[in-house]
Amino acid sequence: MSFLASILLIVYAISVGSLAVHIRRTAALTKQGSDGFPDDAPTLDRLPAIDVVVPVKDEENNIGRCLRAIIAERYPNARIFVVNDRSTDGTANVVRAIQEEHPEIERIDITHLQEGYYGKPSALEKIASRLTGDILFFIDSDMFVKPGCFKTVVRRMESERLDWLAAHGEMELDHFWEKVLAPVFGAMAYSWYDPRKVSDPNWPDAMGSGFMVVRRESYMALGGHGAVKNCYDEDSVLLRRAKAAGQRVVFTASARLFNVRMYGSLDRTIRGFHRTLIGGLKTTFRFLITINALQFVSLMPFGLIILIPLLGGFGYSVPFAKYWLGFALLHILLATWLAALVYRAAKVPLKYALLHPLGSAVAIWVCCRAAADLRRRAPITWRGTSYASAEHAVAKPGQ
């Protein structure tokens, strides 16, 4: 018994030590994300024409702010398209009111979902033929560009001759559960999709975003959104195909580009991340690894701190109990340090980092639900539309 306990203790000590490696990696990632766009990008003699495309469905609370931020950019030679995809709330009225002040905005109302399509690819495929800009900006309606965003991105696209640029911006987190959960899910995403590998043509890794910028000729060469019509993670699939085709892809995180409004209430937050996890993790195996990692980092040390004294109180002697408790305390310190880096990167007050065990526990529950739905090919419902099954939610091998 003592021999087995000693082996387990050694394995646990090595695992706790590995957290230091993850802390170093996380620190490097967060540092890179804070400087996604250097200040010394060259200016351009001529700004290329751009098309800004905003797909929207039932976003009456966000679309007005989104469009006014785009208009405020005053980018020369820019066209703005709003693709209203079957909205049932006041979205169309908000857009119509803004059009009265800015008639240059074009609104395209989508009245039905094409058979065999997911909503966003269907809506964007329908307007592909109307796009004429040199560079296309696809921006979700819950994203609000910051001053200078378009010129900053265009300068980088031109100076580095990029075909695609996907970006994560600064999250707006107003509610308690958003602040607890969003950093945890963000860390999960970056654990599986290292932005450095997404930007490296030697790696197939791809992670899309609601903020996607592409040269029109590169977009059309891939078949546009029509080529990913039944992919749940259509943005990631487009980047993966672009890399396979030899196109230059960059993924970056930069708070200077835009703010993104997160889900809000606990229910919407859980449903939003549940949907994202199915498209992001894709396999039961990845879900199992993620669940195990979450419980190890955030839950296991607290379990040991409680369990070992409890067993002693019932008369059960745990071999090397003092060492187990010592490593568990070190585990808690390292896990809290790691959480502090993650929450600080999300610009969440550090007091919420102390709640990372709560965030991980909820994330594990969401992962279990998402994995079960993926495995049984359950229908996926989002924004009032149900899709046949989760088998269409992810790209097939080779896509």
Side-chain angles (χ1 to χ4, degrees), residues 64-235:
R65 181 182 170 193
C66 174
L67 289 178
R68 294 192 185 282
I70 291 171
I71 294 166
E73 284 288 83
R74 299 188 183 279
Y75 185 98
N77 201 12
R79 297 195 306 161
I80 303 172
F81 297 88
V82 178
V83 187
N84 179 29
D85 181 21
R86 299 167 293 129
S87 293
T88 58
D89 63 357
T91 294
N93 292 333
V94 175
V95 176
R96 191 176 294 113
I98 295 177
Q99 284 181 294
E100 291 178 358
E101 303 175 32
H102 300 277
E104 70 275 14
I105 296 176
E106 297 186 47
R107 189 185 79 250
I108 299 92
D109 293 315
I110 306 297
T111 58
H112 67 280
L113 179 65
Q114 299 180 78
E115 185 176 355
Y117 279 72
Y118 272 49
K120 188 174 179 180
S122 172
L124 294 178
E125 190 270 340
K126 283 188 175 182
I127 72 157
S129 62
R130 301 177 63 172
L131 303 178
T132 61
D134 300 311
I135 295 177
L136 312 178
F137 281 73
F138 294 100
I139 302 176
D140 281 359
S141 54
D142 55 3
M143 295 179 171
F144 319 115
V145 297
K146 295 183 178 181
C149 171
F150 292 163
K151 290 182 180 179
T152 298
V153 171
V154 165
R155 280 200 299 267
R156 183 166 182 184
M157 292 285 290
E158 293 293 272
S159 64
E160 299 182 23
R161 299 306 301 168
L162 302 180
D163 293 292
W164 291 81
L165 183 145
H168 282 181
E170 181 178 352
M171 294 186 293
E172 292 186 356
L173 306 171
D174 297 330
H175 298 268
F176 171 80
W177 284 108
E178 289 181 312
K179 295 175 183 178
V180 172
L181 293 175
V184 174
F185 283 103
M188 289 163 56
Y190 285 141
S191 294
W192 282 111
Y193 300 99
D194 187 326
R196 294 168 296 190
K197 291 181 179 179
V198 176
S199 300
D200 188 338
N202 296 316
W203 290 86
D205 299 53
M207 177 169 59
S209 166
F211 186 98
M212 300 274 281
V213 186
V214 58
R215 294 186 186 279
R216 183 170 56 87
E217 59 186 23
S218 302
Y219 176 73
M220 296 302 182
L222 296 180
H225 280 84
V228 291
K229 64 180 182 180
N230 61 349
C231 294
Y232 195 48
D233 56 336
E234 78 288 332
D235 46 11

